[in-house]
Each structure stands twice: as structure tokens, then as C-alpha cells.
Amino acid sequence: MQEKIELYLDTGMTQIETTKLLVKKVESSIEYLSYNIERYDAPVVMLLIYTDEDISDSLNRHMRLTDALKTVEINQAYFNFVFLPFTELEDSHFFILNEERYKLGKVKHYYYYDVLPPKVYNYYNLINSYLFKIIEGKKEKEEKSETP
């Protein structure tokens, strides 16, 4: 008997495969930044924006010199990891609002952001937790749009 495999976020892959691929692409960036968090005691916010079109040019235009962007494209899905060093959680929200005003307001998008911990012991769990938050946000938006 064949088991039905659910594809994840327009990637054409399962959730496990998607998460493993994202970890492979961003692990070195997170590792480098978490080392600096621990060494210099400086906060870094990791923002993950999921879209169905490439917004990396717009993100690059509005980032500071110290910010970093890693975009991973999987089929029809774009996962934009924005790293905001020396930024507190509250301040990172202004970056999102600014970006929504310029580009994200015209594109279907979902995002989640949080402060990176000084030590990341399990990259898979970290990335997967962000993806779960994005799925929750997507479901909430869909439920709100269905409610009259």
C-alpha cells in the first residue's frame, strides 16, 4: 500500500527534504554568526521570508552593510534568510515593515523572525521551527480570508 506524501510549501519536496536542503544552504552562515554572538555578545536576528517570487533585489536595496541575505530557491518557492546583526528583536520589525511597504505588499509572503541563540546545537530543529511558524501564519491568513 502506497503512502500519500504531502508536498511542502510549493517546493515539490516533503517537509523533511525541504528542511534538510535549507539547513545545508544556511548552516555555515548561522554557524559564523552564532560564533560572533557568543564572542562579542552582540544580538543577531534571523528573519525567514517565504515568497513565491524572488525578492532578493529589493531586500538587498534596503539592507545595511552589516546585514546578510541568503536566498534559497526550491522549485516555485523562495526562502529568504535575512541576518540582522547588532539588531534587537523590536528593531528588526521596522526592517520588515519597511520592506512590506516597498515590495512585500505586492507579493504573497509569510515570515517569521527571532533572535539567534549564541549556540545552535541542532540546525535542523532551528530551521524547522521557523518553517512551522510560517505554516501557522499561512494557515491563519487563509482562515481570515475565508471568514466573511
Side-chain angles (χ1 to χ4, degrees):
M1 188 166 150
Q2 290 241 343
E3 187 178 316
K4 183 182 175 198
I5 297 175
E6 188 174 329
L7 301 181
Y8 190 69
L9 291 173
D10 299 326
T11 60
M13 299 166 39
T14 66
Q15 179 179 355
I16 293 170
E17 293 169 327
T18 302
T19 305
K20 284 181 179 178
L21 181 60
L22 292 173
V23 168
K24 183 179 176 183
K25 298 286 187 179
V26 299
E27 182 176 1
S28 61
S29 299
I30 295 171
E31 195 172 272
Y32 175 77
L33 288 166
S34 61
Y35 167 77
N36 284 320
I37 293 169
E38 186 177 29
R39 183 171 181 195
Y40 301 113
D41 194 31
V44 176
V45 171
M46 184 172 84
L47 163 66
L48 174 57
I49 305 171
Y50 164 76
T51 60
D52 55 1
E53 67 180 69
D54 188 10
I55 60 166
S56 58
D57 288 340
S58 178
L59 290 171
N60 274 322
R61 273 195 300 273
H62 299 109
M63 289 183 353
R64 302 170 300 186
L65 291 175
T66 57
D67 298 343
L69 171 66
K70 181 76 173 179
T71 300
V72 180
E73 178 186 358
I74 306 172
N75 290 337
Q76 306 298 316
Y78 291 86
F79 298 90
N80 301 280
F81 291 87
V82 181
F83 300 99
L84 304 168
F86 313 108
T87 306
E88 297 293 337
L89 198 58
E90 304 83 38
D91 297 332
S92 60
H93 190 71
F94 293 115
F95 176 85
I96 296 165
L97 292 175
N98 188 45
E99 192 57 34
E100 281 186 321
R101 186 172 54 157
Y102 288 105
K103 181 68 178 174
L104 290 176
K106 302 171 189 122
V107 176
K108 188 168 83 170
H109 69 283
Y110 307 96
Y111 64 85
Y112 180 71
Y113 61 99
D114 204 353
V115 176
L116 273 178
K119 285 257 190 228
V120 178
Y121 296 101
N122 190 325
Y123 294 98
Y124 182 89
N125 286 348
L126 177 70
I127 300 298
N128 208 29
S129 68
Y130 275 67
L131 293 174
F132 272 121
K133 293 292 186 180
I134 285 176
I135 291 294
E136 286 175 5
K138 185 177 180 186
K139 286 180 183 176
E140 285 177 15
K141 271 188 178 179
E142 288 170 354
E143 288 172 0
K144 283 181 184 177
S145 67
E146 290 175 0
T147 307

